[in-house]
Amino acid sequence: MGKLCIVYNFAQLYREPIFKLIDAEWDCDWYFGHNTTDIRGMSPDTLKRTTCVNNRHLVGPLEWQDGIGKLLRDKRYDRYLMLGEPMVLSTWWNLIQCRLFYPKKRIYLWSHGWYGREGFMKKWIKRVFFGLADHVFTYGEYAKQTAISQGFDTEKITPIHNSLNHLKQVGLRKKLSKTEIYTSHFGNNYPTLIFIGRLTHVKRIDQLLEAMSLLNEQGEKYNLILIGTGEAHSELDLKAKQLGIENQVWFYGACYDDNQNAQLIFDADLCVAPGNVGLTAMHTMVFGTPVLTHDDFPWQMPEFEAIRQDETGAFFHRGDVTALAKGIHDWFADHPDREAVRHACYDEIDTRWTPQYQLSILKQIIC
């Protein structure tokens, strides 16, 4: 049996644990593009055999990875695991070559897949693109069901979810116990809301500040800690002052200390992500803090599926500040048992959102 060839846009640091498991499980070669984003990258030297290639921008959203188009001709490989991005034309070229000239080789795509907001043209493009693959791994069940509703073969698609450094996080979790950090900082015993991630406009933290102000008017007060920085930081700072809630908002700033982040999350009561939630859901739930985010799933990230309504979090109507305020109120009114919620969050992440879970899915399909 030949080697497994893996092609990815770049080596993201948060994917290091699953990449290491794959590297240990299969005899594989890795091909990574250069990182041109603000997402932290891992050292490719962490894996056994890696090759860096150039991600070349063509026209509009179209890209090409140099050197990737010839990999189907390499006799060392009989299986390929590739990032499934329809705008990367070199991936199209490999899929077409495989169908026409190398029928015994197998290409597996790992992708967000379907969002549910695609127009007619994007639906058609994705149907053809993913249909050329032997199997598709999506980040969630929602993507799978959306694909099936558009006529995709249910036997060719498997949700694989997402993961962070779960073993490390569980190690940190075992050392945690409740502290008085929020009581000490805020000088009160109000419940503490948290958001961890980049403070960008798409995250709609402004809506959270407005919801807190509305709740203040109703006689309910909450604290908020924002861990991170970004383009919207100064605007949010100003808005908190305009709303008169600046003493209830702690702009903690960016923090890369895993121990400190774990403690801050553990001590908080509810993570609120008014925009799309993404990896934030996994990061907070692994330390026992539930998540409230919007319910417009075509505009969510796949990690929203970790939220089980009224167990590990809840949803509110997207863009509705009144509904957001009600969602916060209802959560605390209906979930007095903090420890029960904490363990429900642990169970969700430990069961379905780990590198080990992802590896088990990959091993079922990639023989």
Side-chain angles (χ1 to χ4, degrees):
M1 184 177 289
K3 291 182 179 181
L4 174 65
C5 176
I6 304 176
V7 180
Y8 229 78
N9 55 348
F10 70 94
Q12 299 98 326
L13 180 61
Y14 81 89
R15 290 201 182 280
E16 185 173 340
I18 180 58
F19 284 171
K20 283 184 174 180
L21 287 181
I22 293 171
D23 201 48
E25 181 69 28
W26 283 281
D27 181 16
C28 56
D29 290 343
W30 300 80
Y31 293 83
F32 290 114
H34 295 288
N35 185 6
T36 59
T37 74
D38 60 359
I39 299 173
R40 295 175 69 189
M42 61 179 276
S43 171
D45 295 338
T46 305
L47 306 172
K48 290 195 292 281
R49 293 182 299 274
T50 62
T51 300
C52 292
V53 300
N54 182 46
N55 290 338
R56 186 154 47 94
H57 178 257
L58 300 176
V59 178
L62 300 178
E63 294 187 358
W64 183 279
Q65 286 190 290
D66 289 336
I68 298 303
K70 64 184 181 182
L71 292 178
L72 261 289
R73 301 194 297 271
D74 195 318
K75 295 181 179 180
R76 292 176 298 169
Y77 309 128
D78 57 9
R79 294 155 298 164
Y80 301 79
L81 178 60
M82 298 183 173
L83 182 67
E85 175 47 65
M87 294 299 106
V88 179
L89 296 187
S90 49
T91 307
W92 276 94
W93 177 226
N94 277 323
L95 289 166
I96 293 170
Q97 285 186 87
C98 192
R99 280 301 182 99
L100 292 177
F101 307 116
Y102 305 97
K104 293 184 178 181
K105 293 194 174 189
R106 297 288 178 266
I107 295 183
Y108 308 93
L109 296 180
W110 190 345
S111 175
H112 278 86
W114 290 259
Y115 290 91
R117 61 176 187 262
E118 294 85 357
F120 174 80
M121 184 58 70
K122 281 191 176 181
K123 287 180 182 178
W124 183 84
I125 290 172
K126 288 188 175 185
R127 177 86 176 271
V128 175
F129 177 74
F130 291 111
L132 288 169
D134 290 281
H135 203 88
V136 178
F137 300 103
T138 60
Y139 295 137
E141 182 67 29
Y142 177 80
K144 175 180 177 177
Q145 295 306 319
T146 301
I148 292 171
S149 71
Q150 296 174 11
F152 197 80
D153 184 354
T154 184
E155 300 298 323
K156 290 182 59 176
I157 186 168
T158 303
I160 195 172
H161 296 146
N162 214 336
S163 67
L164 296 171
N165 195 336
H166 183 254
L167 290 179
K168 180 179 181 181
Q169 290 173 326
V170 170
L172 293 174
R173 190 171 77 193
K174 291 178 178 178
K175 302 175 184 178
L176 295 173
S177 59
K178 192 74 173 176
T179 72
E180 299 300 318
I181 186 171
Y182 294 128
T183 302
S184 175
H185 177 83
F186 290 107
N188 60 55
N189 291 309
Y190 304 153
T192 300
L193 312 176
I194 189 171
F195 176 83
I196 181 168
R198 286 187 54 76
L199 303 183
T200 59
H201 294 106
V202 73
K203 297 301 181 180
R204 298 313 309 264
I205 305 301
D206 58 309
Q207 294 180 354
L208 174 53
L209 299 181
E210 291 171 10
M212 288 179 62
S213 177
L214 184 59
L215 287 163
N216 273 2
E217 294 173 5
Q218 299 171 1
E220 289 185 46
K221 292 192 175 183
Y222 299 88
N223 300 317
L224 170 65
I225 180 171
L226 299 172
I227 305 173
T229 188
E231 63 193 40
H233 188 159
S234 59
E235 295 174 31
L236 294 172
D237 191 16
L238 177 61
K239 190 173 188 69
K241 292 173 181 174
Q242 291 172 337
L243 292 170
I245 60 172
E246 66 270 26
N247 292 333
Q248 294 168 248
V249 182
W250 186 1
F251 286 90
Y252 193 86
C255 180
Y256 301 107
D257 184 325
D258 293 333
N259 292 279
Q260 187 63 36
N261 283 333
Q263 188 67 62
L264 292 167
I265 294 168
F266 182 88
D267 283 340
D269 298 297
L270 178 66
C271 171
V272 184
N276 58 47
V277 66
L279 296 173
T280 296
M282 297 165 56
H283 197 179
T284 57
M285 286 170 59
V286 76
F287 296 118
T289 297
V291 179
L292 175 67
T293 190
H294 75 72
D295 63 357
D296 192 356
F297 299 152
W299 293 94
Q300 272 290 3
M301 301 300 282
E303 293 78 14
F304 82 86
E305 292 184 23
I307 301 170
R308 301 196 306 268
Q309 180 68 33
D310 291 325
E311 293 183 47
T312 62
F315 300 96
F316 72 95
H317 185 63
R318 182 185 178 212
D320 187 334
V321 172
T322 300
L324 174 55
K326 185 176 185 301
I328 295 170
H329 165 82
D330 288 350
W331 180 263
F332 288 97
D334 298 340
H335 301 85
D337 191 340
R338 182 69 182 87
E339 287 307 302
V341 170
R342 190 183 303 281
H343 286 280
C345 291
Y346 291 166
D347 180 68
E348 174 63 24
I349 298 301
D350 295 351
T351 303
R352 301 197 304 153
W353 302 85
T354 71
Q356 290 74 22
Y357 175 87
Q358 291 180 298
L359 183 67
S360 71
I361 297 295
L362 291 170
K363 287 171 65 176
Q364 291 174 26
I365 308 299
I366 303 176
C367 302

